[in-house]
Amino acid sequence: MKIKMIEARAVSVPVAKPTRIAKRLLDKRDYLVVEIAADGSEAKGFGYIYAGTRGGAVAAQVVADLLTPVLAGADADDIWGLWDRLYQETLLTGRQGIVLRAISAVDMALWDLAAKRRNMPLAVMLGGTVRPVPAYASGGYYRPDDGPWAEAVHREIRLNIAHGFSDHKIKVGGLSIKEDADRVRAAIDAMDGQGRLALDANNAYRDYNEALLAARAFEKAAGDAGLWWFEEPLSPDDYAGHAELARRLETPVATGEIHQTRHEFRRLIESRSADILQPDVGVLGGVSEWIRVTRAAESFGISIAPHWHANAHAQLAAATPNCIAVEHFLLEKDIYNFEHLVSPETRQVYKDGQLILTDRAGWGFQFDRAALDEFTVEHFMSS
């Protein structure tokens, strides 16, 4: 099973309305989509990652220039060995950042290809089963056109509930602490005593003291309902600050969505910087690193709540005993817009706060070729 074709697409999908998180604006989402084929099989494996609002073309160039020379003609079944070779060959240019995201997409494609060749869902291939997995409705971004901040959050929580979700996450850190506390209070009010609310700060606070002040205000605003978790209050490199917050707060601290490879997660675990880890299969190094990281976390009794990519993480969650919930975005919110690239009939199905898996092989979804072509901005192929 020698690899005979590697294709990389940079895909840029615009959002319709001005949107921001705590410190960053977004007008579009850039994705890298990788396709791999091997001789002796008609199956093709797909992997994808989010590259930011400007990084798609760079990620595709990484695949073309740095990764393809390692992959071409290699054994497609040697997924673990290929990961090690890709990492080793890019030590001077990679180890973190966009190179690791590109490796993630390649690794995801290899696992998808392996599962498709065996005609089984990836969850089953990894030792899990096709079952519903718990999910929460994510959102609460800052959109000035949506009206007063607290009212906008209240409406969005009610929308989530109308779609069957009882657990939710909203952004904080983009306004004053008082204004964000008002938004937390509005979200809790909209929940009518049901479900849980998590908060995501996207690294907004300058230091531990500011983050602690914010957390205390948000806990007070949530009242007896409490908060599910407080996500990424500080820089991802502030291991000590996160550890001190985890020690001091009643609310669990979550982080890990920007961390890469088992080496950074080892440091998170050793420093006790997180009560909940949030690995992203498209960031940390693909399925191979996901397996290593989540099994290590399980050994230390740490729960997993992965970041983004419900279409991929649903499969992985079904094979990860310590995964407590998968993040899900309603497509009509036009926030995480990846499913515009997915054929409508294979988009992620959800019901009663759970993601529903099918028995389709691999990741379980198919790309809409017309949509891929429409939004592609760079395209490389080696065969």
Side-chain angles (χ1 to χ4, degrees):
M1 292 296 298
K2 303 299 183 183
I3 294 174
K4 65 178 181 181
M5 188 275 290
I6 306 105
E7 181 179 4
R9 289 176 180 259
V11 184
S12 188
V13 185
V15 298
K17 297 172 65 174
T19 303
R20 67 180 176 91
I21 57 175
K23 302 296 182 183
R24 295 192 295 277
L25 299 173
L26 69 94
D27 57 353
K28 62 187 179 68
R29 301 284 194 188
D30 274 19
Y31 302 95
L32 167 68
V33 177
V34 171
E35 180 178 352
I36 293 178
D39 56 19
S41 173
E42 296 182 358
K44 294 180 179 179
F46 290 92
Y48 70 97
I49 58 101
Y50 173 59
T53 57
R54 298 292 183 271
V58 176
Q61 196 70 53
V62 168
V63 175
D65 291 350
L66 302 181
L67 307 186
T68 292
V70 177
L71 295 167
D75 184 353
D77 283 328
D78 186 23
I79 301 176
W80 296 101
L82 278 172
W83 197 98
D84 289 345
R85 287 176 57 195
L86 291 169
Y87 184 77
Q88 188 69 28
E89 289 294 324
T90 57
L91 280 178
L92 298 184
T93 54
R95 294 178 56 241
Q96 292 177 326
I98 198 68
V99 174
L100 247 299
R101 292 190 185 224
I103 290 175
S104 299
V106 166
D107 184 81
M108 291 170 71
L110 289 170
W111 281 99
D112 184 51
L113 177 61
K116 286 176 176 173
R117 286 178 48 223
R118 293 159 178 82
N119 195 32
M120 60 177 61
L122 188 58
V124 174
M125 183 169 168
L126 296 178
T129 187
V130 174
R131 62 174 176 84
V133 296
Y136 65 91
S138 197
Y141 284 63
Y142 298 99
R143 281 178 158 170
D145 293 346
D146 287 349
W149 301 116
E151 292 179 17
V153 164
H154 191 282
R155 285 197 305 273
E156 185 172 349
I157 296 297
R158 298 308 299 177
L159 173 67
N160 297 342
I161 293 170
H163 281 268
F165 291 94
S166 58
D167 295 328
H168 318 267
K169 187 171 80 178
I170 65 171
K171 299 296 184 183
V172 293
L175 301 171
S176 69
I177 292 175
K178 181 184 181 303
E179 289 174 301
D180 272 333
D182 290 340
R183 294 171 67 252
V184 171
R185 192 174 296 109
I188 292 292
D189 178 67
M191 291 164 60
D192 286 335
Q194 303 295 316
R196 297 167 291 189
L197 178 68
L199 306 180
D200 183 2
N202 289 115
N203 326 108
Y205 300 107
R206 293 187 304 269
D207 53 38
Y208 160 78
N209 290 319
E210 185 184 25
L212 180 64
L213 184 66
R216 296 294 194 213
F218 301 152
E219 288 178 334
K220 183 178 179 180
D224 292 339
L227 295 171
W228 195 7
W229 69 68
F230 189 29
E231 179 175 332
E232 281 202 314
L234 300 167
S235 165
D237 298 319
D238 191 350
Y239 293 86
H242 280 105
E244 185 63 15
L245 285 172
R247 188 182 70 83
R248 291 283 300 276
L249 293 177
E250 292 184 10
T251 300
V253 170
T255 192
E257 70 178 61
I258 307 178
H259 290 81
Q260 297 184 296
T261 76
R262 75 204 85 149
H263 308 298
E264 291 194 342
F265 279 90
R266 174 182 173 177
R267 186 174 177 187
L268 283 173
I269 293 171
E270 288 180 339
S271 61
R272 300 183 180 180
S273 296
D275 301 296
I276 299 169
L277 289 175
Q278 298 182 290
D280 183 328
V281 68
V283 173
L284 86 166
V287 177
S288 297
E289 287 295 91
W290 168 277
I291 293 170
R292 292 175 172 123
V293 165
T294 57
R295 297 306 184 260
E298 186 179 12
S299 298
F300 285 88
I302 300 174
S303 295
I304 299 298
H307 169 249
W308 278 23
H309 304 316
N311 306 73
H313 285 137
Q315 292 286 334
L316 299 179
T320 306
N322 55 327
C323 183
I324 58 173
V326 173
E327 184 170 20
H328 182 270
F329 286 85
L330 296 172
L331 185 57
E332 54 262 50
K333 292 183 181 181
D334 195 35
I335 297 292
Y336 174 77
N337 54 18
F338 173 76
E339 286 201 320
H340 283 307
L341 304 174
V342 175
S343 66
E345 64 274 14
T346 65
R347 288 174 181 164
Q348 181 60 60
V349 176
Y350 57 89
K351 182 179 180 182
D352 298 331
Q354 295 182 310
L355 303 184
I356 310 302
L357 273 65
T358 73
D359 59 2
R360 288 190 293 266
W363 291 117
F365 69 86
Q366 296 176 349
F367 281 101
D368 182 328
R369 287 291 182 176
L372 276 181
D373 289 341
E374 177 183 356
F375 296 114
T376 292
V377 294
E378 294 282 353
H379 185 201
F380 301 98
M381 178 182 289
S382 174
S383 59

